[in-house]
Amino acid sequence: QVQLLESGGGLVKPGGSLRLSCAASGFTFSDFHMTWIRQAPGKGPEWVSFINPSGTSMYYADSVKGRFTISRDNAKNSLYLQMNSLRVEDTALYFCTKEIFTGSGAAFDYWGQGTLVTVSS
Amino acid sequence: QSALTQPASVSGSPGQSITISCTGTSSDVGGYNYVSWYQQHPGKAPKLMIYGVVNRPSGVSHRFSGSKSGNTASLTISGLQGEDEADYYCSSYTSTFTLVFGGGTKVTVL
């Protein structure tokens, strides 16, 4: 069955960096767009970034553009999010998600359990 | 990109039907048939309920249906049940190759 397992979250000071990872299994990882979505405590989901199956096209929310970098390693069935210059407002649970099928218009049928990023001094 | 507009709360009695609206612009909801709906219970990850405005993923109850008119999409839950009590979020693909979510609607079963 499909599994998405995030890791790498933690407590970091403003201006610091973290690298999130997502280990995928149960599907052909290299066939699917992958996306990071975050959810601040008590708030709704916020799209962060997505990457195409080959890893050649990436898009970012304005709130993270220039600070976050999404990447993938299809040989390792893994998705990554490098987060630099972290701000207090980046505090959230970060989910790794899989698109239901290519061309679905960003509908996500599988979500990981999330990894918590806390930015605080 | 501004968030899509949803009512903060909607309620209904068991067996009734309720509808949640999701209003955007011609650059998102109105411009594409790429609206999705998610159900989220406390402490859980969101669950995809509707994609492509009207399509249900395998395993989702037929009591859930989606529609769209102009810049407003809607999720209807028929035969409301206690297990439907949750937060619901809409999302839409946008003209700038991004995704925008709604602010969320809390559904209460009376």
Side-chain angles (χ1 to χ4, degrees):
Chain A
Q1 72 280 23
V2 172
Q3 287 194 327
L4 300 169
L5 186 61
E6 304 96 335
S7 61
L11 175 63
V12 62
K13 289 182 167 53
S17 298
L18 278 176
R19 188 192 194 211
L20 306 185
S21 299
C22 171
S25 60
F27 65 104
T28 305
F29 181 74
S30 58
D31 284 349
F32 291 88
H33 287 85
M34 297 295 294
T35 298
W36 287 99
I37 291 172
R38 68 185 181 184
Q39 189 167 25
K43 303 292 186 182
E46 177 190 12
W47 173 76
V48 173
S49 178
F50 57 62
I51 187 168
N52 69 343
S54 63
T56 56
S57 291
M58 296 78 78
Y59 297 92
Y60 300 92
D62 287 345
S63 58
V64 308
K65 199 174 294 183
R67 300 187 298 122
F68 290 12
T69 302
I70 191 172
S71 62
R72 64 191 296 161
D73 185 336
N74 287 342
K76 295 183 177 180
N77 291 340
S78 293
L79 176 72
Y80 306 102
L81 186 68
Q82 178 65 45
M83 305 187 297
N84 298 331
S85 302
L86 281 162
R87 304 168 180 169
V88 171
E89 55 264 36
D90 294 320
T91 294
L93 189 62
Y94 284 72
F95 293 101
C96 166
T97 69
K98 167 193 164 293
E99 191 173 9
I100 187 169
F101 57 83
T102 300
S104 72
F108 312 111
D109 60 343
Y110 284 94
W111 298 56
Q113 85 290 347
T115 187
L116 183 62
V117 172
T118 303
V119 185
S120 174
S121 55
Chain B
Q1 187 73 43
S2 299
L4 305 176
T5 300
Q6 297 181 233
S9 63
V10 173
S11 62
S13 299
Q16 286 186 330
S17 293
I18 61 170
T19 297
I20 303 168
S21 61
C22 170
T23 301
T25 69
S26 58
S27 295
D28 39 64
V29 174
Y32 305 90
N33 288 323
Y34 288 146
V35 175
S36 301
W37 289 91
Y38 297 88
Q39 176 192 66
Q40 188 176 31
H41 289 109
K44 301 291 189 180
K47 175 186 176 183
L48 181 64
M49 306 302 283
I50 296 287
Y51 68 93
V53 178
V54 297
N55 303 293
R56 274 184 309 274
S58 174
V60 171
S61 170
H62 285 72
R63 298 186 298 103
F64 292 84
S65 62
S67 63
K68 191 184 81 167
S69 177
N71 295 337
T72 298
S74 298
L75 173 72
T76 297
I77 308 174
S78 305
L80 198 62
Q81 299 180 2
E83 67 206 47
D84 301 331
E85 188 161 290
D87 294 323
Y88 290 82
Y89 298 94
C90 61
S91 70
S92 175
Y93 185 73
T94 82
S95 60
T96 54
F97 307 103
T98 61
L99 184 73
V100 62
F101 280 91
T105 298
K106 183 176 182 62
V107 168
T108 300
V109 181
L110 301 171

